[in-house]
Amino acid sequence: MKILFFGTKSYDREFFEGPDEKCPDVEITFIEPNLSPETARLAEGFEGVCAFVNMDLSARTVDILHKCGVKLILMRCAGYNNVDLEAAKACGITVMHVPGYSPEAVAEHAMALVLTADRHMHKAYIKCRENNFNLSGLMGINLHGRTAGIVGTGKIGAAMARICRGFGMRVIAYDMYPNKELDFVEYVDFERLLAEADLISLHCPLTKDNYHMINEKTIAKMKDGVMLVNTSRGALIKTEDLIQGIRDGKFFAVGLDVYEEENGTVYEDMSDRILEHSTMARLLSFPNVMVTSHQGFFTKEALLAISRTTMDNALAFVQGRKNGNEL
Ligand code: NAI
């Protein structure tokens, strides 16, 4: 099977071409452009394509892929809200993903965002390098003894809950399907989580039902001085309302690994360009906001697991075997 690998970065090659990942039945061609309606035609002559979270797999793209003869879309990630599954199903294209490749990678990054924003590590690093050992502007708050509110306690949320417990926090959570393994977690409704949590960490997938679940109304229900972290999907938060909340002094710290309008920005070097989106420019202007570039997944362990599972997905498709990663 010939697979066209869109949006290739050096680290993708390193892991997908690694000795463990060689698979004689699957031949990969690596190209740099991201998959979108404009680039989908490049898949002519390929049976499969491999894509990532930041690409556009809307009905238009899927339709072009179908006309090119593509039968398999391999998402080398867990989330798939950017894929029009209905459109893929309608034209008989199988979509597979990599669930739970390393929940700890994302949860540890969520906690890194909390600690960085809370204890102003980004500022302390620069100040010390400039021989400025003054502490003004660096005061944080203890996590120990405070309440962490986890929204979505699947694989990543559960890992985050364990980390928060390790920090001596009381952990409460909201999920329609409570995770029975988390016996130290108290499940509450969303309203109570908003009202009681000192740290709110989002770990649910983006669906039609929870689009903009963090908005003016829900922000108003949060404690003053709350910390908010999003490593899940940008559109869970209505950015304009978040910006207003930050301006109003509602948040002690905000950590965002994902944000609305991230497509076109994440994974690209934009250092010599003028930022197109004013929302991003405004977010970056706040001293208590820490932004990273959708990199929660980015550890050696996670990339190895992603490459292995993606190759197994391709192989399972070739062999007509179901391995549970079909969407
Ligand atoms: P999972 O499927 O194991 O868990 C998701 C949990 O969220 C489930 O328990 C589900 O019942 C719950 N849930 C669904 N809708 C909800 C809602 N409206 N409110 C509360 N809970 C809700 O998923 P996993 O592996 O834990 O991943 C979670 C999300 O993390 C992914 O959907 C993806 O968006 C994001 N992610 C981010 C990465 C990054 O690099 N920043 C990397 C991988 C995933």
Side-chain angles (χ1 to χ4, degrees), residues 2-280:
K2 287 172 70 182
I3 291 174
L4 188 62
F5 196 105
F6 281 90
T8 311
K9 303 285 183 206
S10 57
Y11 47 83
D12 291 317
R13 273 181 184 276
E14 190 186 322
F15 283 88
F16 277 86
E17 285 182 336
D20 291 349
E21 281 35 82
K22 287 257 177 290
C23 172
D25 295 329
V26 179
E27 183 191 318
I28 302 181
T29 301
F30 295 94
I31 58 168
E32 283 184 21
N34 285 337
L35 179 55
S36 68
E38 289 71 38
T39 60
R41 268 175 241 292
L42 296 169
E44 188 76 57
F46 289 85
E47 227 181 324
V49 295
C50 185
F52 198 50
V53 281
N54 57 328
M55 302 185 195
D56 173 353
L57 285 91
S58 57
R60 253 178 87 205
T61 307
V62 171
D63 183 50
I64 299 168
L65 292 176
H66 172 57
K67 288 182 178 136
C68 289
V70 169
K71 306 260 182 309
L72 174 67
I73 295 173
L74 292 165
M75 296 304 294
R76 51 181 190 275
C77 49
Y80 48 85
N81 54 290
N82 54 331
V83 186
D84 192 323
L85 291 178
E86 293 290 316
K89 197 173 170 197
C91 50
I93 295 182
T94 301
V95 184
M96 300 178 83
H97 74 143
V98 186
Y101 45 83
S102 177
E104 289 74 21
V106 185
E108 287 172 17
H109 190 75
M111 186 46 101
L113 283 170
V114 175
L115 293 174
T116 305
D118 173 16
R119 304 303 291 267
H120 313 284
M121 293 300 179
H122 50 309
K123 286 202 234 168
Y125 173 75
I126 292 172
K127 282 178 81 160
C128 287
R129 283 174 73 95
E130 292 179 351
N131 288 347
N132 179 354
F133 301 100
N134 181 293
L135 297 183
S136 63
L138 300 184
M139 193 185 295
I141 52 174
N142 277 14
L143 295 180
H144 188 269
R146 290 188 195 263
T147 300
I150 312 290
V151 181
T153 50
K155 292 174 279 300
I156 298 171
M160 183 63 174
R162 286 188 210 100
I163 291 171
C164 290
R165 182 178 59 154
F167 272 78
M169 302 184 83
R170 167 184 172 236
V171 185
I172 59 174
Y174 166 65
D175 194 312
M176 296 82 78
Y177 305 98
N179 185 334
K180 293 193 176 64
E181 287 173 20
L182 300 176
D183 54 4
F184 59 92
V185 169
E186 184 188 349
Y187 279 91
V188 296
D189 61 28
F190 189 45
E191 302 282 307
R192 218 181 117 194
L193 184 141
L194 292 171
E196 291 186 17
D198 300 294
L199 160 64
I200 298 175
S201 196
L202 305 181
H203 298 288
C204 54
L206 174 65
T207 64
K208 282 184 211 119
D209 304 328
N210 61 21
Y211 177 76
H212 283 177
M213 72 192 298
I214 303 297
N215 56 44
E216 187 186 1
K217 284 195 183 125
T218 48
I219 289 172
K221 290 176 184 163
M222 294 177 191
K223 277 183 164 177
D224 289 339
V226 66
M227 291 188 270
L228 174 69
V229 176
N230 188 8
T231 55
S232 207
R233 283 295 178 267
L236 292 174
I237 299 179
K238 189 172 178 192
T239 316
E240 283 298 335
D241 292 359
L242 174 67
I243 287 172
Q244 192 53 51
I246 296 166
R247 285 209 172 118
D248 294 343
K250 184 80 181 175
F251 297 93
F252 185 77
V254 174
L256 303 173
D257 187 43
V258 291
Y259 21 89
E260 295 185 288
E261 302 170 347
E262 69 178 47
N263 283 0
T265 307
V266 288
Y267 313 131
E268 304 303 330
D269 180 358
M270 315 279 285
S271 48
D272 61 353
R273 288 191 237 167
I274 289 163
L275 279 186
E276 226 173 277
H277 303 295
S278 67
T279 44
M280 173 51 74

